[in-house]
Amino acid sequence: IAEDPRPHEYYLVEVRGKDVALDRFGEILMVDGPVFLIRIKPGMLEPLTREKVSLARLNFTPIVRSTPRSPSFYYNPMIQSIVDAVDPDTILSIVQRLQDFVTRYSTHDSCEAAAVYIADKFTQYGCDTVYFQYHTTNHAPNVIGIKRGTLYPDSIYTVVCGHFDATSYMAPSIAPGADDNASGTAGAIEALRVMAGHQFEYSIRYIAFSGEEQGLYGSYYYASQARAAGDSILGVLNADMIAYVNSQPESVDVVAKISSPPCGPFADF
């Protein structure tokens, strides 16, 4: 741009009108399709803002910023250390404990008790806030644990989740739900445990939903409340039936929408 760019103002300008002569407002340094890199002339920024353009000012203060876009694949020793910390015995013990409630049918008292157990785990493994979200009459609540980010502690976050309620042909009195979905709940809890010693820019919400077997009551309520509050949810990893036994070789299915919003790149990653 220049040997010393700081005394000047630089903008990325996207032209939205055919009759905009940008060279009136500054020196055009680079063109990339409809986007121009311009060194603005003194006093010409305000007139430029009245044209049919979109502007983005270049800031020369170094920043480290996360991005909601899926990153490229590369080896990261920190991530590998997190993966290596996953303990199959810990996961199995959580699945077993959730089975031991005998039933986690959403309207049963045992599902309420399971919610308390999950909340205790969220607290034990370092969530800054843990609370129950009641959504449907006579149903156990969603359990929400929040690990606050260092830069974005509030309404911009990712979600790691699974539903903890279960059903069966013997429900409501018997519904141990080992695979569907104690396994996914255990996965979310284990993710919290192995990441407990790490700080992240964005907040992470660990959620155990209830009422899912009755028609996604818990997750629908959470999503509607998040939308009403203006939350920015960057991505959701929803673990469901992750202990399901496939024929060899074992595999994991990743399911995602391809539009509205387009989640394909996230699923590919």
Side-chain angles (χ1 to χ4, degrees):
I1 293 177
E3 289 187 7
D4 184 9
R6 294 179 187 275
H8 305 281
E9 292 287 339
Y10 297 87
Y11 278 79
L12 292 174
V13 182
E14 183 175 359
V15 178
R16 300 189 181 279
K18 295 182 179 179
D19 56 346
V20 180
L22 291 179
D23 54 357
R24 292 193 296 116
F25 304 95
E27 181 183 355
I28 299 174
L29 303 177
M30 188 188 76
V31 181
D32 183 9
V35 179
F36 294 76
L37 173 61
I38 296 181
R39 181 188 293 118
I40 301 293
K41 295 177 182 177
M44 294 304 294
L45 177 59
E46 186 175 342
L48 178 59
T49 62
R50 294 194 288 266
E51 299 290 337
K52 294 180 180 179
V53 297
S54 296
L55 303 176
R57 179 176 177 270
L58 294 188
N59 188 328
F60 292 101
T61 301
I63 60 172
V64 178
R65 184 176 64 182
S66 297
T67 171
R69 297 176 183 173
S70 300
S72 301
F73 286 100
Y74 63 95
Y75 177 76
N76 186 315
M78 183 194 74
I79 293 176
Q80 189 61 53
S81 70
I82 294 173
V83 173
D84 292 342
V86 173
D87 184 357
D89 289 339
T90 301
I91 296 172
L92 185 60
S93 68
I94 295 172
V95 171
Q96 183 64 62
R97 180 65 187 91
L98 289 170
Q99 283 188 96
D100 290 344
F101 286 103
V102 181
T103 181
R104 297 192 312 282
Y105 196 77
S106 279
T107 57
H108 200 284
D109 289 347
S110 291
C111 197
E112 291 267 2
V116 173
Y117 166 78
I118 295 166
D120 288 344
K121 284 294 184 183
F122 284 173
T123 300
Q124 176 186 347
Y125 293 144
C127 281
D128 299 304
T129 301
V130 178
Y131 66 96
F132 294 136
Q133 183 185 56
Y134 291 90
H135 53 81
T136 308
T137 303
N138 297 325
H139 284 250
N142 296 332
V143 187
I144 301 171
I146 302 175
K147 189 67 179 289
R148 300 197 183 281
T150 57
L151 296 182
Y152 308 96
D154 298 315
S155 59
I156 305 176
Y157 56 87
T158 58
V159 174
V160 179
C161 63
H163 74 90
F164 73 98
D165 65 307
T167 191
S168 78
Y169 65 91
M170 294 179 286
S173 58
I174 301 176
D179 172 43
D180 189 9
N181 188 37
S183 65
T185 303
I189 293 172
E190 181 69 352
L192 168 60
R193 187 186 72 82
V194 299
M195 292 193 288
H198 298 269
Q199 292 292 324
F200 299 92
E201 291 181 354
Y202 291 97
S203 294
I204 304 174
R205 295 197 180 189
Y206 300 89
I207 306 177
F209 291 112
S210 66
E212 297 299 274
E213 298 292 3
Q214 285 72 40
L216 310 181
Y217 286 176
S219 59
Y220 180 86
Y221 182 83
Y222 180 89
S224 63
Q225 292 294 303
R227 183 182 180 89
D231 290 359
S232 294
I233 301 176
L234 303 179
V236 178
L237 291 172
N238 176 44
D240 193 73
M241 299 179 67
I242 59 174
Y244 185 81
V245 178
N246 284 324
S247 58
Q248 296 295 329
E250 291 284 359
S251 64
V252 174
D253 294 325
V254 180
V255 182
K257 298 170 69 176
I258 59 173
S259 62
S260 188
C263 301
F266 186 38
D268 291 341
F269 176 76

